[in-house]
Amino acid sequence: MLATVKRLLDTDIGSFFASDKHLVGLDIGSSCIKVVQMKESKGRYVLQKFGIKPLDPGTIVDGAMMNPGKVVAAIKELLKEHRVRDKHVATSISGHSVIVKKITVPAVPEDELETQVKLAAEQYIPFDINEVNLDFHILNSNEQADDGEPQMSLLLVAAKKDKVAELTELVRSAGLIPMVIDVDAFAIENMYDVNYNLTPDEITALVNIGASVMNVNILKGGTCVFTRDISIGGNRYSEFIQHELGASFEEAETAKKSEGRSRLDQDALASALTNVNTEVVSEVANSIDYFRTTNMDGEIGRIVLCGGCAKVKGLSEQLSHRLSVQVEIANPFAEIDTSNVRLAPEVMQSVAPLAAVGVGLALRRPGDR
């Protein structure tokens, strides 16, 4: 499902750029920025450009731009280093400024649907309706309510206008043209759709562990049926290692990703990772348990981890044991030709989980709905 939230831009900018080219995927995370550019050739996606630029600690905190100038400079440097010349980009948001909710509304003609959605949204959005940009994706246009009346099920998306404005201004300050503002969870969904074989009844949980936010997105047959953003991520590992082992931020960052190659006490480090893994697993389990109570039509068959901390030692094993579900690490390049990018296979494998959002964004085209 290539569901986009282009209209979160609050402007039909895509109509001014008629092209079949894919947009450049620009993933602005709390710890690093990723850029992905792809094209289609002979029925297959081809990776043209891929790069990562770390951000200094504190540049972005919990999604808030503490130093926009540094972010803009990092974006410019990253695009220059990888010779990305296309200025038209897709980027995304996540966190508590975004609400994603499955809702039902009475079946109405298409020209009345936006008004109907806005009326329905007021009971689901914990913000002033005038302070958000709304978008929606139709999941099923032909359902029946309990009273027999026709209804439609939709995926409602609401984003705080100030956050959208902040992000678009940042992108424009880097000399780029924002064409699509998406949601991290949807971008990962599209990455998954391209790289994995889906069956109509398959239920999968996609878990993206960013630096400060973790997304849980549950799909059935490739369509989102539940999503949640949780304020825990890779920074929690770093903070815990710093506090418990007296490590510097740099040491903690290295240790959580490469246990065994750190000067820190290995037993203490393993204990620290296990403690935070338990927190992360508990949050994922709570989300999945809630989904199970509201979904009587099948069980989750697979959990796919992505993001900077997907490979933290012991995480996938703890998650699999807690939920009795197969857990695997996402490979956003599984079905994508990466031969044009001069990175060693082991390097591509190492950074692949970080690229999930960027790959999903790079699948976008101008004017997507």
Side-chain angles (χ1 to χ4, degrees):
M1 178 186 74
L2 289 177
T4 179
V5 285
K6 171 178 69 73
R7 287 187 298 138
L8 292 183
L9 282 168
D10 210 22
T11 176
D12 194 19
I13 192 170
S15 64
F16 297 105
F17 181 68
S19 171
D20 288 333
K21 288 177 61 178
H22 287 278
L23 299 171
V24 175
L26 181 66
D27 176 17
I28 304 172
S30 294
S31 64
C32 59
I33 299 170
K34 286 79 68 177
V35 64
V36 180
Q37 186 171 20
M38 295 195 297
K39 67 176 182 179
E40 282 187 80
S41 178
K42 299 178 180 178
R44 191 178 187 193
Y45 290 103
V46 177
L47 184 65
Q48 295 175 291
K49 307 287 175 64
F50 172 59
I52 300 174
K53 172 71 71 173
L55 292 172
D56 292 336
T59 304
I60 301 177
V61 178
D62 293 333
M65 303 287 176
M66 309 306 291
N67 193 328
K70 279 192 174 182
V71 180
V72 168
I75 293 172
K76 289 180 176 179
E77 290 171 9
L78 180 61
L79 299 179
K80 183 177 180 180
E81 288 170 7
H82 293 275
R83 299 179 181 178
V84 178
R85 296 182 175 85
D86 193 338
K87 303 296 184 182
H88 301 87
V89 302
T91 190
S92 57
I93 54 178
S94 64
H96 296 303
S97 295
V98 184
I99 302 295
V100 180
K101 184 81 174 177
K102 182 181 178 182
I103 67 170
T104 57
V105 298
V108 295
E110 186 174 343
D111 60 354
E112 299 177 18
L113 188 54
E114 287 193 30
T115 301
Q116 188 70 44
V117 169
K118 186 172 182 179
L119 290 172
E122 294 183 341
Q123 61 183 302
Y124 297 106
I125 306 302
F127 315 123
D128 184 330
I129 199 70
N130 296 312
E131 295 178 356
V132 300
N133 291 335
L134 293 174
D135 201 0
F136 60 89
H137 176 78
I138 299 173
L139 298 175
N140 189 337
S141 60
N142 187 26
E143 290 189 351
Q144 194 174 65
D146 292 338
D147 61 5
E149 291 296 315
Q151 65 179 20
M152 309 170 73
S153 63
L154 312 170
L155 202 62
L156 173 70
V157 184
K160 294 288 290 291
K161 287 182 177 179
D162 57 348
K163 290 296 182 182
V164 174
E166 179 184 51
L167 180 57
T168 54
E169 178 58 31
L170 184 90
V171 172
R172 288 178 175 132
S173 295
L176 302 173
I177 303 171
M179 302 294 293
V180 167
I181 300 289
D182 208 338
V183 174
D184 284 1
F186 294 165
I188 292 170
E189 179 180 333
N190 294 328
M191 174 281 297
Y192 186 76
D193 184 51
V194 165
N195 286 285
Y196 293 81
N197 293 321
L198 305 178
T199 60
D201 295 324
E202 177 184 342
I203 301 179
T204 304
L206 306 181
V207 179
N208 177 42
I209 309 172
S212 59
V213 176
M214 175 169 66
N215 318 114
V216 178
N217 187 16
I218 299 177
L219 313 180
K220 181 174 181 181
T223 298
C224 175
V225 291
F226 175 88
T227 184
R228 180 188 177 207
D229 284 354
I230 306 160
S231 295
I232 188 172
N235 290 342
R236 180 67 178 131
Y237 288 96
S238 300
E239 292 162 1
F240 199 86
I241 293 169
Q242 285 178 271
H243 182 266
E244 295 296 313
L245 281 72
S248 68
F249 178 83
E250 290 74 18
E251 288 173 328
E253 283 288 294
T254 299
K256 73 183 180 185
K257 298 174 183 177
S258 55
E259 186 186 16
R261 297 197 299 273
S262 169
R263 69 162 188 83
L264 301 175
D265 180 275
Q266 294 301 296
D267 290 338
L269 177 57
S271 177
L273 293 178
T274 298
N275 281 328
V276 183
N277 281 345
T278 300
E279 288 187 55
V280 173
V281 168
S282 179
E283 290 290 354
V284 175
N286 288 341
S287 298
I288 290 177
D289 286 344
Y290 178 78
F291 167 76
R292 285 170 168 167
T293 65
T294 59
N295 181 80
M296 306 301 292
D297 194 23
E299 280 288 327
I300 291 173
R302 174 165 52 179
I303 297 173
V304 179
L305 296 178
C306 52
C309 287
K311 292 184 175 181
V312 167
K313 187 173 182 180
L315 177 59
S316 60
E317 291 82 1
Q318 279 186 243
L319 194 54
S320 179
H321 182 263
R322 170 77 180 268
L323 292 167
S324 300
V325 175
Q326 172 191 343
V327 179
E328 62 184 82
I329 308 299
N331 180 6
F333 305 121
E335 295 298 325
I336 293 172
D337 182 353
T338 61
S339 59
N340 287 348
V341 177
R342 296 180 180 178
L343 286 176
E346 60 271 19
V347 174
M348 288 294 290
Q349 183 179 13
S350 174
V351 301
L354 281 166
V357 172
V359 168
L361 293 172
L363 292 168
R364 298 299 191 204
R365 297 177 188 270
D368 268 348
R369 274 297 298 141

